[in-house]
Amino acid sequence: LSQVLLKLTSPGIPDMYQGAELWDLSLVDPDNRRPVDYDLRRRLLCDLQKLTVEQVWDRIDEGLPKMWTTYHAIRVRREHAAALGEQGAYTPLHARGDKSPHLVAYMRSDRVVTMVPRLVLTLKDNWGDTWLEIPAGSWRNQLSGSVFTGGKLRVGDVLDRFPVALLVRD
């Protein structure tokens, strides 16, 4: 999920394989390509639009968290094209606290903040006192629906309902 969100919100044009919207544990070598089940993807996409983040997470085996992340990130790219486009500024954000090396975060044009964990096996789902400062304002996590006020955010609070975050200033 971290790779998906980084790919879709970093500067540049994302490169996505057709049919890779769900978990795919095969190699990308052309010999390992398989037919894409588009009917399954259409059905899951329809389901996705009626589900809560908790329901999506309950269907992890179907790959819904990956499709959820892709769907919302692409929607944010469309709605905030200037911020995430070619002219959109990129500002690295630096977390503070015990687990700060476990967070990759950046802001695009003062409108969109991406937060993803790294080295998750040693993180053990414990952010401790780690926090990230973002500009003032009301920010909605597009992946969990949670709303935050700018300033110092406890990383554990932002990532409590979904393991990656895509914050957009309201």
Side-chain angles (χ1 to χ4, degrees), residues 80-151:
H80 300 279
L84 292 164
E86 185 177 319
Q87 302 302 318
Y90 170 88
T91 306
L93 300 175
H94 304 285
R96 303 285 184 251
D98 298 358
K99 306 291 181 147
S100 59
H102 290 272
L103 187 73
V104 174
Y106 53 86
M107 185 168 37
R108 299 296 310 273
S109 300
D110 296 327
R111 301 279 314 146
V112 178
V113 171
T114 297
M115 297 172 62
V116 300
R118 62 184 289 271
L119 307 169
V120 294
L121 292 179
T122 57
L123 178 62
K124 299 179 183 171
D125 202 27
N126 176 11
W127 287 100
D129 68 347
T130 307
W131 55 273
L132 181 73
E133 189 160 2
I134 64 172
S138 177
W139 295 82
R140 178 176 303 278
N141 185 345
Q142 302 298 305
L143 301 173
S144 71
S146 301
V147 177
F148 301 94
T149 301

Side-chain angles (χ1 to χ4, degrees), residues 11-30:
I13 298 171
D15 184 15
M16 300 177 66
Y17 284 103
Q18 191 173 25
E21 301 84 7
L22 305 173
W23 306 135
D24 184 356
L25 303 177
S26 64
L27 299 174
V28 293
D29 183 283

Side-chain angles (χ1 to χ4, degrees), residues 60-71:
I60 190 171
D61 291 341
E62 294 176 76
L64 278 182
K66 184 176 180 186
M67 184 178 270
W68 177 267
T69 303
T70 302
Y71 173 80

